[in-house]
Every structure is written in structure tokens, then in C-alpha cells.
Amino acid sequence: LEIVVTILNENDNSPEFAKQNLTKTVPEDTKVNTTIVARTDLSASDADLDIIYYELTTIVMGTDGYFAIKGVNNPEIYLQKTLDYEKFKSTTLVLYARDRPVDSTDITHTATATINIVIEQADTKPPWFLPCTFINTDKSVCISSPYAGRVNMAEMSTEPLALEPGPLYAIDPDYTLNEKIVYSIVGGDPDKVFSVGADTGNLTMNKVATAPDSYLLQVMATQVNNIQKYAIVSVEIKVINKSDYPPHFESRIYNGIVSVGLAPRSFVFRAGDPSSPLMITAMDDDFPDV
């Protein structure tokens, strides 16, 4: 008598991950669709030889939608959306491995693996001149205001020029990198009247200004490691005549007279001479003919 015994495989084992905890560092400028964690690092095994079904979830609020798996049977994790270090610097993913489809009514065993993603800041932003104003809510773009200063005509200043709203100063907004920045004048000074300190940003004079025209300088801040990362700001330097004397009034005391009930904006007349409007005048010895 020949007896054939067929052993039925019962689903009595859970899937298993080789590693239940993984940490990956991802540069901020990683291209979309790039593989973040390879399939071989995430595939689960099942002693019952069942087909494994995967599902990826994000457990950190505000960071969902950036990472995904290639398919329900392919746990390879790839980048689905452009990263921004200013929005978040890390997140945590949970990968589920099931031996039955999600909607199955059969007994299902599940395993989980945790993937910690650390975002590494990349050199993505050009320098910013300070102070500047953010023009978007995520603070990724900051627009600086023009600088302004003045010099005396035909007078040589040996000190750095005082500017408003402050000294020329630019930063690398990729602050964890903080790349070195150098300064240069790239326009608005054909006569080479001014110089800018490459390392300091201090604006100084090479020679006197002999014309009353203003200078509208274009100053560039460039990252040393990448000349394509730069910013340009305008600096208006007004050339004025030097003032040696303060203005003074022609008289120390002025006396006027008004009548009761006069309408607003009516003239005030000179006391003792009600037919002549009261005039208050000042003089400046720097301009004797004016």
C-alpha cells in the first residue's frame, strides 16, 4: 500500500527584516527620483515563502510626500519631491512588510523597519547682503535695500566710508556651510575713485571726486568656492560741497503780529509794520552769494 502525504504550508511565520533600524544622510540638493535606500537593504524574508507586500508611512508631521517606495512588492525608497533644509532637517519613515495584501481578510503577519532620514544642507543659495527683507513665507529669498553714502568734493577720505543702512556686509544663507565671500566693484565707477576691501567689504577712496555727480556703484559679493553663487547691490555715493560753517539766522529775535479771527494760512505781519509779512531768513557762509 503506497500512501502519499501532502504537507500544507500554514501561514505561521512573520516576515523579517535583516535590519529593523536604518539611518540615511541625504544631501539637500539630491535630484528627484534618486534612490535613497536600495531594495537589497529593505527586502524582508518570510519562512513561509509568501509574497511580501510593502507600505511606507511618514511619522513626522509636515514631511510626508517626500519619500516613496517603487511599488507594493518593491521596497526601494526614492526621493519624490525636492528637499529644502529650511523646511525640515530630518524625518522618520516606517516600512511595513505583510505576508498578505492590505485589504486581505486572511490572517496576516506584519514586520516593521524604521528608516531615519537626516537632511544635509547643500550649497543652494547665493549670498545675501544685509539687511534684507524676505519676500516669501519659507524665507528662501531675501532682497536687500540699496546702500547710500556721501563724500566731500575735492577732499580725500582715508577712512572707510560710512554707509546707510550700515556697512557693506553679505552672508552665505547656507549657514551650516558658511562659505567665504569676497567683494568687488563691478560697475558705476569708470574713474576708479573707489575701492572695496575684498575680505572686509569696506568702501574706501582711491582719489578725490572732482565732479558734483553722484556715483551709483554696483558691488558684487561672490562665494570663493563657486563664482556662480553671487549677489549684486547698488551703492549710491553723493558728492557734496564741504560745509565749513553752520547756517545762522539774520536776527536772533523776530516779532510778529496777528489779528483775532484770522483764517488759517493767513500771513503773520511784522510788528510795527502791519503792511509787511514777517519773514524769517537764514544765511550760510559756505554759500555767500545765495
Side-chain angles (χ1 to χ4, degrees), residues 25-30 83-90 118-126 128 139-140 172-179 223:
T25 299
V26 182
E28 179 187 11
D29 58 352
T30 299
L83 296 170
D84 187 342
Y85 187 81
E86 301 300 327
K87 291 183 178 179
F88 68 96
K89 299 170 179 58
S90 64
V118 178
I119 311 301
E120 182 180 63
Q121 188 170 33
D123 191 5
T124 60
K125 298 183 180 68
W128 291 345
K139 297 184 177 181
S140 60
D172 178 7
D174 299 309
Y175 54 88
T176 62
L177 303 177
N178 195 27
E179 298 291 350
Q223 288 184 194

Side-chain angles (χ1 to χ4, degrees), residues 104-124:
S104 174
T105 58
D106 295 336
I107 296 175
T108 303
H109 299 94
T110 304
T112 60
T114 301
I115 302 96
N116 300 298
I117 303 292
V118 178
I119 311 301
E120 182 180 63
Q121 188 170 33
D123 191 5
T124 60

Side-chain angles (χ1 to χ4, degrees), residues 218-248:
Q218 302 296 313
V219 178
M220 182 166 68
T222 310
Q223 288 184 194
V224 172
N225 71 322
N226 187 351
I227 61 174
Q228 294 182 340
K229 294 286 194 309
Y230 67 88
I232 295 178
V233 72
S234 61
V235 183
E236 184 181 14
I237 303 296
K238 293 182 178 179
V239 181
I240 61 173
N241 286 312
K242 184 177 180 181
S243 178
D244 291 319
Y245 304 98
H248 57 87

Side-chain angles (χ1 to χ4, degrees), residues 250-261:
E250 289 186 319
S251 175
R252 295 184 60 188
I253 299 176
Y254 291 85
N255 295 307
I257 186 170
V258 295
S259 301
V260 176

Side-chain angles (χ1 to χ4, degrees), residues 86-243:
E86 301 300 327
K87 291 183 178 179
F88 68 96
K89 299 170 179 58
S90 64
T91 187
T92 301
L93 313 174
V94 176
L95 181 64
Y96 294 88
R98 300 183 177 92
D99 54 14
R100 294 292 184 272
V102 174
D103 56 356
S104 174
T105 58
D106 295 336
I107 296 175
T108 303
H109 299 94
T110 304
T112 60
T114 301
I115 302 96
N116 300 298
I117 303 292
V118 178
I119 311 301
E120 182 180 63
Q121 188 170 33
D123 191 5
T124 60
K125 298 183 180 68
W128 291 345
F129 278 99
L130 299 182
C132 63
T133 303
F134 291 108
I135 63 171
N136 49 2
T137 55
D138 62 3
K139 297 184 177 181
S140 60
V141 178
C142 200
I143 303 299
S144 60
S145 299
Y147 292 83
R150 62 182 187 178
V151 296
N152 294 324
M153 186 185 298
E155 182 174 294
M156 182 73 176
S157 174
T158 58
E159 298 294 326
L161 303 183
L163 301 176
E164 293 292 339
L168 277 170
Y169 180 59
I171 63 166
D172 178 7
D174 299 309
Y175 54 88
T176 62
L177 303 177
N178 195 27
E179 298 291 350
K180 183 178 179 180
I181 292 173
V182 294
Y183 304 88
S184 59
I185 297 175
V186 294
D189 186 18
D191 299 327
K192 307 298 182 185
V193 176
F194 303 96
S195 291
V196 64
D199 296 322
T200 64
N202 289 335
L203 196 64
T204 55
M205 299 185 71
N206 297 322
K207 55 186 177 181
V208 299
T210 57
D213 300 327
S214 295
Y215 291 84
L216 189 60
L217 309 179
Q218 302 296 313
V219 178
M220 182 166 68
T222 310
Q223 288 184 194
V224 172
N225 71 322
N226 187 351
I227 61 174
Q228 294 182 340
K229 294 286 194 309
Y230 67 88
I232 295 178
V233 72
S234 61
V235 183
E236 184 181 14
I237 303 296
K238 293 182 178 179
V239 181
I240 61 173
N241 286 312
K242 184 177 180 181
S243 178

